[in-house]
Amino acid sequence: ALLLDFADQIFGLSDGLFDITSGILRKVWTFDGSSKIPDQHQIDAVRSLVGWQKVAWNKPLIRMLPGMEIDLGGIAKEYAVDRALALATALTASPVLINFGGDLAVSGPRATGAPWQIAIESVQGAGMAAMLELREGAIATSGDARRFLLKDGVRYGHILNPQTGWPVRDPLRSVTVAARTCLEAGMAATLAILKGPDAKAFLAQEGLK
């Protein structure tokens, strides 16, 4: 219920770009590195089932149109990182780092007082793009390094614009954000990708690291 409340809030703040009903678009998009692009008719047929504004959410009851789906993929893993960190720090005073596939949070610096060393993978698929030092909080990364389509020299990333049903145009290849919690970092990184060419301006305007 708290995640649905959070998704509802972000839907409004993002002017509908962050929409947890848009996961159903995966029925026509398969980001396997191939050149299989769906046609507009296929996309439009599924888009009729997209739109958080069509959902009636009155805690604890939720009502949706037949065929609609909820996909918490944009926030569930990051929420799980935060919860796992809370559980771990309740059990031990030792320094803790929780890492779920690159989205991570720490309880504080390492036992020596040194920061954790966090490598950011290159979008080229090999090697390291950067090394970050993390003493507190969390970081999350969003990008298209592994999930994309490629046709006629055009790369289509896996993050879809729920208002068009198509991949975001001219997105940054990868965005890593630092924040107080992994949930906040993940949401901001995904929103930055959804902003397309306006991503850098969005990050600067919000004062995000």
Side-chain angles (χ1 to χ4, degrees):
L2 288 173
L3 282 176
L4 291 177
D5 285 344
F6 183 75
D8 178 63
Q9 183 181 22
I10 301 307
F11 177 80
L13 291 174
S14 68
D15 295 323
L17 280 178
F18 190 92
D19 190 330
I20 60 172
T21 67
S22 64
I24 197 168
L25 289 166
R26 299 297 192 279
K27 291 196 171 184
V28 294
W29 288 97
T30 302
F31 294 96
D32 55 5
S34 70
S35 60
K36 300 174 185 173
I37 308 295
D39 61 43
Q40 190 64 53
H41 176 74
Q42 291 174 301
I43 294 169
D44 289 343
V46 178
R47 271 192 65 222
S48 65
L49 298 173
V50 175
W52 177 250
Q53 73 278 5
K54 301 174 184 176
V55 176
W57 167 231
N58 298 297
K59 194 163 34 180
L61 303 176
I62 187 168
R63 287 187 302 146
M64 298 183 292
L65 298 174
M68 288 187 76
E69 297 180 3
I70 294 293
D71 181 354
L72 296 172
I75 51 179
K77 182 172 69 169
E78 294 80 0
Y79 172 74
V81 169
D82 292 333
R83 292 295 301 129
L85 182 66
L87 291 169
T89 54
L91 295 173
T92 179
S94 298
V96 175
L97 181 148
I98 302 291
N99 181 0
F100 288 0
D103 294 336
L104 54 89
V106 302
S107 61
R110 303 185 68 141
T112 60
W116 300 88
Q117 301 291 316
I118 310 297
I120 305 300
E121 185 181 27
S122 169
V123 293
Q124 304 305 326
M128 182 176 63
M131 178 70 76
L132 305 181
E133 293 187 343
L134 188 65
R135 291 181 179 275
E136 62 181 2
I139 63 171
T141 298
S142 186
D144 70 352
R146 287 190 170 86
R147 298 169 62 194
F148 62 93
L149 296 172
L150 193 62
K151 184 174 183 179
D152 300 330
V154 178
R155 187 183 183 94
Y156 298 84
H158 76 283
I159 296 181
L160 301 168
N161 183 330
Q163 297 166 350
T164 66
W166 283 84
V168 177
R169 297 186 63 181
D170 302 320
L172 294 179
R173 290 288 308 279
S174 178
V175 176
T176 299
V177 173
R180 185 178 59 87
T181 67
C182 198
L183 185 58
E184 293 169 304
M187 178 270 297
T190 300
L191 271 181
I193 297 288
L194 284 166
K195 292 289 183 178
D198 298 325
K200 291 183 180 179
F202 162 75
L203 292 167
Q205 178 183 328
E206 297 299 321
L208 294 165
K209 297 180 181 179

